[in-house]
Amino acid sequence: MLKISLLIILPIVASLAYIFTNRAYRVGILVVSNVGVCMALSMLILPLMAGGDIVSLKMGGWSLPLGITLTFSGFRLFFLGWISFLVSMIQIFSFGYFENDHKHRHFLALSNLVVVASFVILLSNDLFNIYVGFELLGIASIALIALNRKVETLRAALRYFFAAIRASLLYLMGVAILNLNYRILDINLLSEKIGSSPQIVVAITLITVGLLIKTAIVPFQFWLPSAHSKATAPVSAILSSVVVKLSLFVSVLLWLGPFEKVAHQLSYVFLGHFGIVAVFYGGIMALRQKNIKMMIAYSTVSQLGYLMVGFLIPTFNNGAAVVTWSGMVYFIISHAVAKTGLFLFAGIIQKNTGSDAIEGVKNLSQNILLIFCFIIFASSIIGLPPSGGFIAKWQLLRVSLLSQNWLWIITLGVGGLLSASYLYPVVSASFTTTTQTVKWEMRKSEKVILVGLAIVSIVLMFVANPIIKLSKWSPLLL
């Protein structure tokens, strides 16, 4: 119980401490908080790796259906650890990025709340608790987007606010219908009792649409480009690498769990192939952008489409299902690292030139370190070695070949070409020299984190087996 308390209490206490301390003390708070969370996660995940079982914990000793159960599986804890790691990297980067002390302390506090919300969502096995986690996540995300306090940023935050409210209402209406019919909200119990009726189909539809809005899957992507492009770079990195992944996790959890007994196979085929539309739409829109952050934002819309292949798992045989799940896990990890790096790169460009226009990266060849980092992150998005994105795309290609799904094979090929097409102009412009001299400045924390993320992206190509094994010994029901 102490280990679980540390996961929640440490980030909350750290959030409060960030508000009332100066920069020097914040470094110590960051170290203590993150080391504590890391130790708690390690103590939870190591026994699971040895036994390979899912562990459930009854909060307050109350049994189901009245009690609340937290679920600990290898994948959930690994995903939590990865989120904590990425947010920590972004927080360290922020020490050099934010010159305004007021903004910096609020960024650190709010980003910690994102971590707390992630813990609630990923460990909960109760539909209402998951809703509470999403509400906390939404409040923190809206405040983070509005951190800049510019007119266009406040508009983007307001657009995200209305999208989040609509999504939450749809999700809550679906949960209410399920509760009226079964008087239970625990996912495992719901899997045993759920039946097929028009009311339940409506509930499943409401919950799914709500979660897809939160994930920004086409055609519900209307809030994402403005939110990701108008927010400050560290905030954009958190939104892209963490926030949109959590709602997709819950979607897959429900469709591989209780909803599987009710849904027709065509529903999985529809949802799985729905991602193809996102891949092409996001890629084409990214290709049309003149600003780096807007281009990366539409790239996120495109890349999220690949993760929709997870909905096809129930239509595959066991071998293809395992490969699909492994590919999804690796894609989430590698994409999060690459997108974090790309947004932080865009933040450095914006800080040095006053704009994130692609034309603004001219003369970047003067700083070979920045170009190297961008090329590594871009390679991961495209799916080229040496990067974790190569392994992720390879796994998805394997499952497409195993299932003889030629539509997804074509999508992977064309999607990769689109990614290369919208990322290439940045590389091309960076080697264009002009008479204007730009002094590309990076503070030590910015340089360390950007290079560190590039190294992590490369290392992910060579440590695929342990992570893929982790996803295999963690059951498909997570």
Side-chain angles (χ1 to χ4, degrees):
M1 192 67 182
L2 175 63
K3 294 170 277 189
I4 300 157
S5 300
L6 283 174
L7 286 179
I8 304 295
I9 293 171
L10 271 177
I12 292 174
V13 172
S15 292
L16 294 171
Y18 287 138
I19 298 292
F20 301 107
T21 54
N22 59 35
R23 278 181 185 256
Y25 287 108
R26 283 177 222 153
V27 176
I29 295 165
L30 180 67
V31 171
V32 172
S33 172
N34 289 335
V35 168
V37 168
C38 184
M39 287 174 63
L41 282 170
S42 300
M43 287 188 286
L44 286 166
I45 200 169
L46 289 175
L48 283 176
M49 290 182 74
D53 296 322
I54 287 179
V55 176
S56 294
L57 178 70
K58 298 171 185 175
M59 298 300 292
W62 287 82
S63 299
L64 293 173
L66 292 176
I68 295 170
T69 303
L70 298 182
T71 301
F72 301 88
S73 69
F75 172 73
R76 290 188 193 221
L77 291 172
F78 179 79
F79 196 12
L80 278 178
W82 199 251
I83 287 172
S84 300
F85 166 73
L86 285 176
V87 173
S88 299
M89 296 283 272
I90 296 166
Q91 287 176 332
I92 295 168
F93 178 91
S94 73
F95 277 89
Y97 184 83
F98 285 104
E99 295 176 0
N100 184 306
D101 193 65
H102 178 79
K103 287 181 182 178
H104 184 240
R105 67 178 67 198
H106 284 89
F107 169 78
L108 290 175
L110 290 166
S111 57
N112 261 28
L113 290 182
V114 169
V115 174
V116 173
S118 303
F119 289 173
V120 174
I121 292 166
L122 288 171
L123 296 181
S124 294
N125 215 42
D126 179 279
L127 290 175
F128 187 77
N129 266 19
I130 291 171
Y131 164 77
V132 172
F134 276 126
E135 289 305 289
L136 178 59
L137 183 70
I139 291 166
S141 300
I142 292 162
L144 280 168
I145 295 167
L147 202 61
N148 234 359
R149 296 190 179 182
K150 293 180 180 177
V151 174
E152 63 270 20
T153 310
L154 293 174
R155 282 178 184 160
L158 199 59
R159 182 176 292 184
Y160 176 70
F161 169 75
F162 286 124
I165 288 292
R166 277 178 280 185
S168 294
L169 283 173
L170 290 171
Y171 177 88
L172 197 56
M173 285 166 63
V175 170
I177 293 170
L178 291 176
N179 191 47
L180 281 170
N181 280 269
Y182 301 109
R183 296 292 189 272
I184 51 172
L185 292 174
D186 182 78
I187 292 173
N188 290 339
L189 289 181
L190 202 58
S191 297
E192 296 171 7
K193 297 190 176 184
I194 197 167
S196 182
S197 71
Q199 280 183 320
I200 302 307
V201 171
V202 170
I204 290 172
T205 303
L206 289 170
I207 291 171
T208 303
V209 171
L211 291 171
L212 290 180
I213 291 172
K214 288 181 180 292
T215 312
I217 295 293
V218 176
F220 307 116
Q221 82 298 337
F222 52 88
W223 64 266
L224 186 147
S226 60
H228 287 208
S229 61
K230 301 302 180 187
T232 56
V235 173
S236 302
I238 289 176
L239 293 174
S240 186
S241 61
V242 177
V243 174
V244 294
K245 304 292 194 309
L246 291 168
S247 47
L248 186 67
F249 164 81
V250 176
S251 301
V252 175
L253 172 67
L254 293 175
W255 278 84
L256 297 185
F259 294 176
E260 188 177 1
K261 291 187 175 181
V262 179
H264 192 277
Q265 196 172 34
L266 285 175
S267 304
Y268 290 97
V269 174
F270 174 75
L271 285 169
H273 287 85
F274 208 57
I276 294 172
V277 180
V279 171
F280 289 122
Y281 173 81
I284 292 167
M285 291 302 293
L287 197 57
R288 298 175 59 189
Q289 303 309 311
K290 302 297 181 186
N291 294 78
I292 299 173
K293 287 178 74 178
M294 187 64 87
M295 178 263 289
I296 301 171
Y298 274 110
S299 170
T300 300
V301 173
S302 177
Q303 298 294 310
L304 286 171
Y306 290 112
L307 291 172
M308 294 295 284
V309 75
F311 287 102
L312 292 173
I313 287 176
T315 69
F316 295 149
N317 59 41
N318 190 52
V322 169
V323 175
T324 306
W325 181 246
S326 302
M328 274 191 67
V329 171
Y330 221 75
F331 195 97
I332 289 171
I333 293 166
S334 60
H335 176 265
V337 174
K339 276 296 158 68
T340 299
L342 285 173
F343 272 117
L344 298 185
F345 167 86
I348 290 170
I349 299 299
Q350 195 168 26
K351 204 171 154 187
N352 279 274
T353 65
S355 166
D356 68 329
I358 293 174
E359 289 295 311
V361 302
K362 288 178 179 178
N363 296 317
L364 188 59
S365 54
Q366 297 167 7
N367 191 323
I368 199 68
L369 191 64
L370 270 174
I371 296 175
F372 165 77
C373 291
F374 179 83
I375 289 172
I376 294 299
F377 301 139
S379 298
S380 189
I381 296 299
I382 297 166
L384 296 175
S387 67
F390 170 73
I391 301 295
K393 294 281 179 75
W394 173 249
Q395 289 290 95
L396 295 181
L397 181 61
R398 274 184 65 201
V399 76
S400 299
L401 291 169
L402 282 170
S403 60
Q404 296 185 336
N405 192 325
W406 297 104
L407 194 55
W408 264 105
I409 293 170
I410 293 167
T411 301
L412 284 164
V414 177
L417 289 173
L418 278 171
S419 300
S421 300
Y422 59 70
L423 290 165
Y424 173 75
V426 179
V427 179
S428 176
S430 65
F431 285 99
T432 303
T433 56
T434 63
T435 53
Q436 184 183 4
T437 303
V438 179
K439 190 177 180 182
W440 299 100
E441 293 181 347
M442 280 194 293
R443 293 187 178 177
K444 191 176 289 185
S445 63
E446 295 172 323
K447 193 179 295 185
V448 167
I449 294 304
L450 207 62
V451 173
L453 287 169
I455 292 170
V456 169
S457 192
I458 294 170
V459 169
L460 280 173
M461 180 175 170
F462 302 100
V463 295
N465 281 336
I467 296 173
I468 288 174
K469 282 180 183 176
L470 175 71
S471 68
K472 283 183 180 178
W473 61 255
S474 179
L476 289 181
L477 289 180
L478 312 179

